[in-house]
Amino acid sequence: MRRRLFYSLLALSFYCCFKVWCVLMGRSKKNRKWQITDKSDSINHRYHGLKNQGATCYLNSVLQVLFMTKDFREAVSSSSEPGSINPHLTSLFGDLQKNSANTQAITRHLGITRVQEQQDAAECLEKILLHTSSKASQIFKGELTHRNTCCTCSRDSEDSRQFWSLPLTLVDPEKDDYSVV
């Protein structure tokens, strides 16, 4: 139950971030193309969208976020580990700079066969990161350390694990004004 709640909240946060990003980038129903100025090289780029294969909006949202993450885009294009999804992502990202793109190569590589079925965006992100090169996946990795202190002998024990999504425990599910600072 907690895991489902966590993934639902993470998917909701992806969706909300994407909607806010759409507003900030000036996308409207009248203007279906992105007009973004890349401040690093002062060149205007027109970015395009991904064609939905059915109910793959979860995948498309994740791919758009990864595409707009410049460090990830560069890491994917600069490293080519055998069997990784990097060549497919590099091709997709190149297509997105020119016109609308298809995600069939990505879904085939990830083994997504039921494109008419909605899936979880957070799980999709982890699946993509598992299939990218280590250089690219490191951009989103963090380390979470659990520290326990024995109340009898005061001895500390630590357990560290890497993560791509940060688990947050909601103590009171009725409370709706949580903040992560």
Side-chain angles (χ1 to χ4, degrees), residues 83-125:
S84 77
I85 198 170
N86 289 17
H88 300 297
L89 289 172
T90 301
S91 174
L92 179 73
F93 294 164
D95 290 346
L96 280 173
Q97 292 179 347
K98 299 174 207 147
N99 49 34
S100 295
N102 292 313
T103 59
Q104 279 87 358
I106 303 290
T107 54
R108 268 193 308 276
H109 189 88
L110 295 175
I112 299 171
T113 56
R114 298 181 313 244
V115 295
Q116 299 300 330
E117 184 179 295
Q118 180 66 39
Q119 307 235 356
D120 188 77
E123 290 175 1
C124 180
L125 172 64

Side-chain angles (χ1 to χ4, degrees), residues 74-86:
E74 290 171 353
V76 162
S77 65
S78 68
S79 61
S80 58
E81 292 178 10
S84 77
I85 198 170
N86 289 17

Side-chain angles (χ1 to χ4, degrees), residues 10-77:
L10 192 57
L12 180 62
S13 68
F14 269 114
Y15 176 76
C16 291
C17 288
F18 182 71
K19 287 295 184 182
V20 168
W21 183 73
C22 287
V23 170
L24 291 174
M25 293 300 130
R27 182 165 189 214
S28 68
K29 289 182 180 178
K30 293 176 187 172
N31 178 17
R32 294 279 178 184
K33 299 196 184 221
W34 302 97
Q35 180 69 44
I36 301 170
T37 302
D38 186 347
K39 303 277 188 221
S40 63
D41 59 11
S42 300
I43 297 174
N44 286 336
H45 297 284
R46 281 197 175 265
Y47 295 120
H48 304 271
L50 294 167
K51 295 178 183 172
N52 202 343
Q53 295 181 53
T56 58
C57 54
Y58 66 95
L59 171 67
N60 293 0
S61 296
V62 169
L63 290 171
Q64 288 282 8
V65 168
L66 293 175
F67 170 68
M68 295 307 294
T69 306
K70 186 177 180 181
D71 292 341
F72 183 80
R73 235 181 18 242
E74 290 171 353
V76 162
S77 65

